[in-house]
Amino acid sequence: MDFQRVGTGAHTVLVLHGWFGSSRSWQAVLPHLDQETFSYVFLDCRGYGARRGETGRFSVAEAADDVLTAADELGAERFSLLGHSMGGSVMQRVYADAPERVRALVGVSPVPAGGVPFDEQSWQLFSSAADSPGSRRAIIDFTTGNRLTGTWLDAMVRHSLDNSDRDAFAAWLPAWARTDFHTEIQGRDVPIQVIAGRHDPALGPETMEATFGAWYPNLELEIFPDAGHYAMDESPVALTSSVERFLRRH
């Protein structure tokens, strides 16, 4: 399996991307990583990035199996997980399947293990994104509070189009939005940090409190005042600092 590895530290961190992203979505944080303490491994889901052209069921469970396969290939018996958006759902599935291997979880605007409810209008918009760059741009703009430059929005759309297969992208929407396994993780005492952007209207602080806060007794929630859904782009230095402070304790 192809993956990018940054750092040589003993603490392995497997990094999982979101619906519009890929393993390269984390470029803005790379200069700030502690490469002596941690080894970050940036993984692509099937149909994304270095794995474009790969087929599969495009399910949360399958992606979790792929993460565990990657960990085996790396020789990482225990590891932490850092997941953005839909990658946050996958990281929780990995933990549900192999809790003894997980040191800690960090979610950046993560999808809850109960999925994400949509009204009909929103579902139509998100469903149209597979074939409409304009819909992708509208969603990214909405989930960052309609406050960021159009140049950045266009670059995010271009990254999404260039780094995901159309059919994989389409299949992943119901996978992350409508997969519910929260009863399998509810009450678990895993160390977990969730970072929520104040300008994220969908997966912001209130949603995180109502889901992760209700299910994980050890949750540490941090609210980023100057971020929406993409803290790795909007607040890269603050994100890296927060994540590594947390992971050093585990």
Side-chain angles (χ1 to χ4, degrees):
M1 190 180 299
D2 292 327
F3 36 71
Q4 177 187 14
R5 185 168 185 164
V6 176
T8 57
H11 190 155
T12 298
V13 184
L14 305 182
V15 187
L16 313 176
H17 63 80
W19 191 40
F20 286 103
S22 75
S23 61
R24 296 185 60 80
S25 296
W26 304 84
Q27 293 300 303
V29 308
L30 298 189
H32 316 301
L33 298 175
D34 177 352
Q35 298 186 32
E36 295 183 0
T37 302
F38 302 100
S39 294
Y40 291 92
V41 181
F42 298 85
L43 303 177
D44 283 304
C45 291
R46 296 184 190 217
Y48 281 79
R51 303 183 70 189
R52 290 193 68 178
E54 283 195 42
T55 59
R57 300 189 306 276
F58 304 115
S59 67
V60 172
E62 178 185 67
D65 286 342
D66 287 348
V67 171
L68 289 168
T69 297
D72 290 342
E73 291 182 12
L74 290 161
E77 181 58 33
R78 297 193 75 231
F79 48 82
S80 293
L81 291 154
L82 170 59
H84 173 243
S85 198
M86 79 175 187
S89 177
V90 175
M91 78 172 185
Q92 294 174 85
R93 185 68 257 176
V94 173
Y95 173 68
D97 291 343
E100 72 286 351
R101 299 187 67 176
V102 176
R103 294 174 63 159
L105 301 174
V106 179
V108 180
S109 301
V111 169
V116 178
F118 280 82
D119 59 36
E120 183 58 32
Q121 183 178 2
S122 297
W123 185 256
Q124 291 302 320
L125 173 63
F126 276 67
S127 296
S128 70
D131 297 306
S132 170
S135 293
R136 297 191 193 207
R137 192 182 195 275
I139 293 166
I140 297 167
D141 193 20
F142 171 71
T143 57
T144 51
N146 306 111
R147 51 185 255 287
L148 301 178
T149 171
T151 303
W152 179 79
L153 295 173
D154 292 340
M156 292 290 285
V157 172
R158 175 51 52 194
H159 181 96
S160 176
L161 293 168
D162 289 347
N163 287 277
S164 63
D165 295 333
R166 184 266 173 206
D167 290 350
F169 182 89
W172 261 107
L173 173 59
W176 61 257
R178 294 180 169 169
T179 297
D180 183 354
F181 58 96
H182 79 276
T183 57
E184 297 182 55
I185 53 86
Q186 191 166 11
R188 298 285 194 95
D189 61 358
V190 62
I192 180 168
Q193 178 191 45
V194 165
I195 293 167
R198 184 170 66 86
H199 298 283
D200 186 346
L203 294 175
E206 290 184 3
T207 300
M208 296 300 101
E209 288 277 17
T211 55
F212 287 85
W215 302 334
Y216 291 100
N218 292 332
L219 176 69
E220 297 183 25
L221 175 63
E222 184 165 355
I223 300 168
F224 273 27
D226 297 318
H229 192 66
Y230 296 90
M232 68 282 289
D233 281 293
E234 299 172 79
S235 303
V237 178
L239 177 66
T240 307
S241 302
S242 178
V243 169
E244 293 192 338
R245 272 196 305 269
F246 176 77
L247 290 178
R248 284 191 186 97
R249 294 192 275 115
H250 303 289

